[in-house]
Structure formats: structure tokens, C-alpha cells
Amino acid sequence: MNIELDRVYTFKLTNADEIVGKIVDIVDDSYVVAQPLSAVPTEKGIQLIYTVFTGDPKENATINKTAIAMICQVREEVADHYLEATTGLKPVRKPSIIMG
């Protein structure tokens, strides 16, 4: 899988945490991620919460590659939720049914 800058990914860490974030830089031993959010299952479905409670949630964070068990493409609806949570913008999707 080719990891690209300015795209949102899901990071599964070796401690089983799941983080969603946009990669803004790739360093030899780490990824720099903009406003990382943790995915938490609730009775309402998956919720995204701040990954760091005592740090500035608007700042970039560095994730060491040795702490990552897996990286995958984020689901479209999770990417939309991430965008809304980090920018306040609600994405508009084209309907999948053709209306005439």
C-alpha cells in the first residue's frame, strides 16, 4: 500500500488503539498526523474522540512506526466524520441513485 500525504488513514496500534488522522509528513521512523482522533465503539456506533486529552488537539502528533500494527484506507463515512470533527465542514456527497 502506498501511503500518501494529505490523506486520511486508519492506524491500528500495537496496543489495539485505533486512530484516524491525516498524514501531513512522513519521516524515516514516524508519521506526522494532523489532529488525530481515536475511534471508540459506542451503542450509537463508532465515535471519534480526542486521542490526547492534555495536549492541544489542534496540533500535529507524531506516531512512531514501531507502534503501528496496521495502516489501512479509512472508510468514506469515517473520513467524512473526521473532516466534520476537525474542521466543522460537513461533506456533501453526490447521491448514488440517478434521479431524472
Side-chain angles (χ1 to χ4, degrees), residues 35-99:
Q35 299 180 338
L37 299 175
S38 291
V40 178
T42 69
E43 61 275 352
K44 295 179 182 179
I46 300 294
Q47 299 293 313
L48 296 178
I49 64 169
Y50 291 128
T51 298
V52 178
F53 296 108
T54 59
D56 185 349
K58 302 274 187 220
E59 292 292 321
N60 294 341
T62 301
I63 301 175
N64 291 325
K65 290 180 179 178
T66 58
I68 300 170
M70 159 179 22
I71 300 175
C72 60
Q73 301 281 337
V74 69
R75 293 190 334 224
E76 187 175 89
E77 63 270 17
V78 176
D80 289 349
H81 188 61
Y82 174 83
L83 178 66
E84 187 174 358
T86 57
T87 67
L89 301 174
K90 189 168 183 110
V92 177
R93 298 268 176 209
K94 293 181 181 179
S96 58
I97 299 175
I98 298 173
M99 309 278 278

